[in-house]
Amino acid sequence: MLNEPVRLPNRAYTFFPVAQPLNFVDAKGSQWVAPARTLTDGASIPKIFVSIVGEPTSPEYINAAAVHDAYCGVGNETGPMFHRADWQDVHLMFYDGLIVGGTDPKRAKIMFAAVWLGGRAGPMGAAAESFRPRAPR
């Protein structure tokens, strides 16, 4: 991350741009990229859950969160990867990234459920009518 803090309205955490592109290949063999300067606040963990889940910018979360943010994160709406993949695939990639990053599988499933259920395009958001659950492997 670059030491160039960015504050976005109505967001609990400070965002930072990614210093260099992050490339990730998920469990299905799909390639994902967070271009340089993608904004991320880490895993966007509500402050009430930090004592349970950990800091949003923990090493095991930060890369998965940054790649996820490139595709659907606040502050990246004009980025080249924003909404370039189905939201379900983006959230599954986040889970895979957490596992590869060293997140405990139980914790990764909890974090996956949080983005799946709480994401703007998740079942509580705009795509509720087309929601088809796909659990992580």
Side-chain angles (χ1 to χ4, degrees), residues 5 23 55 126:
N23 295 291
E55 289 294 325

Side-chain angles (χ1 to χ4, degrees), residues 12-73:
Y13 295 105
T14 301
F15 287 69
F16 292 90
V18 172
Q20 58 190 10
L22 295 173
N23 295 291
F24 178 67
V25 177
D26 68 16
K28 296 186 295 185
S30 298
Q31 295 195 21
W32 302 86
V33 64
R37 305 209 61 83
T38 295
L39 290 180
T40 188
D41 63 346
S44 302
I45 299 165
K47 290 188 186 242
I48 192 169
F49 297 117
V50 167
S51 64
I52 299 166
V53 179
E55 289 294 325
T57 56
S58 294
E60 64 267 31
Y61 308 151
I62 192 68
N63 289 337
V67 177
H68 183 267
D69 287 346
Y71 288 83
C72 62

Side-chain angles (χ1 to χ4, degrees), residues 64-137:
V67 177
H68 183 267
D69 287 346
Y71 288 83
C72 62
V74 173
N76 295 300
E77 295 87 352
T78 61
M81 304 316 290
F82 194 77
H83 287 181
R84 298 267 322 247
D86 292 336
W87 65 267
Q88 298 97 329
D89 294 332
V90 174
H91 294 348
L92 284 167
M93 174 276 302
F94 176 67
Y95 172 80
D96 290 343
L98 290 171
I99 294 298
V100 169
T103 303
D104 172 77
K106 287 180 186 176
R107 182 169 290 166
K109 286 180 181 178
I110 291 167
M111 294 174 73
F112 167 80
V115 299
W116 188 276
L117 296 173
R120 292 172 63 185
M124 305 305 179
E129 64 281 356
S130 64
F131 175 60
R132 301 285 184 269
R134 290 188 277 173
R137 296 162 272 300

